[in-house]
Amino acid sequence: MTKASFVTEGSRIQAFTIEGHSGWADSGEDILCAAITSAVRLTECAVNDVLGLEAQVKVNEQDASLTLKLPRNLEGEADQVCQTLLAALMVYFVQLQEEYPQHINVMEV
């Protein structure tokens, strides 16, 4: 099962961690795992490459996890865009959870 944890402070999403394999299908054929990975990569590219921010990204291949932490000093438009991106990611994962409840779990911590 894939676990998606979103760390919030008040109404702001500060970080997220995605860990584990969905187990929907064998590796290389798992469309759910591919959808999750694609959404995470798109979000990370938007934050770091397009917006030019320096969000911390930590990948741990041993437990198949990725954590992204936004910079603490974000303000204004950059913060609004990041919050929109991370909120959209969370909503997307909740929708996947509704469709595949045995394979993805979304939490807000």
Side-chain angles (χ1 to χ4, degrees):
M1 173 179 280
T2 297
K3 295 179 184 174
S5 303
F6 289 83
V7 179
T8 58
E9 187 176 288
S11 62
R12 278 187 91 247
I13 301 171
Q14 298 284 346
F16 66 84
T17 298
I18 310 300
E19 66 180 312
H21 295 285
S22 73
W24 188 81
D26 291 336
S27 181
E29 297 178 12
D30 192 327
I31 61 169
L32 180 57
C33 202
I36 292 166
T37 299
S38 179
V40 167
R41 286 185 177 176
L42 177 64
T43 302
E44 189 274 327
C45 286
V47 170
N48 282 336
D49 299 332
V50 175
L51 293 173
L53 303 176
E54 295 181 7
Q56 283 184 331
V57 177
K58 180 181 174 187
V59 176
N60 184 333
E61 292 186 21
Q62 294 220 334
D63 65 359
S65 71
L66 180 141
T67 299
L68 182 141
K69 292 182 184 179
L70 293 177
R72 285 233 175 247
N73 59 348
L74 282 183
E75 297 178 336
E77 187 177 349
D79 185 49
Q80 290 175 356
V81 171
C82 285
Q83 290 307 304
T84 299
L85 288 167
L86 271 57
L89 183 67
M90 186 187 319
V91 168
Y92 177 62
F93 286 165
V94 167
Q95 290 172 346
L96 288 176
Q97 178 180 267
E98 290 170 1
E99 205 171 329
Y100 302 95
Q102 302 300 314
H103 301 282
I104 180 170
N105 183 34
V106 181
M107 299 169 281
E108 186 176 330
V109 294

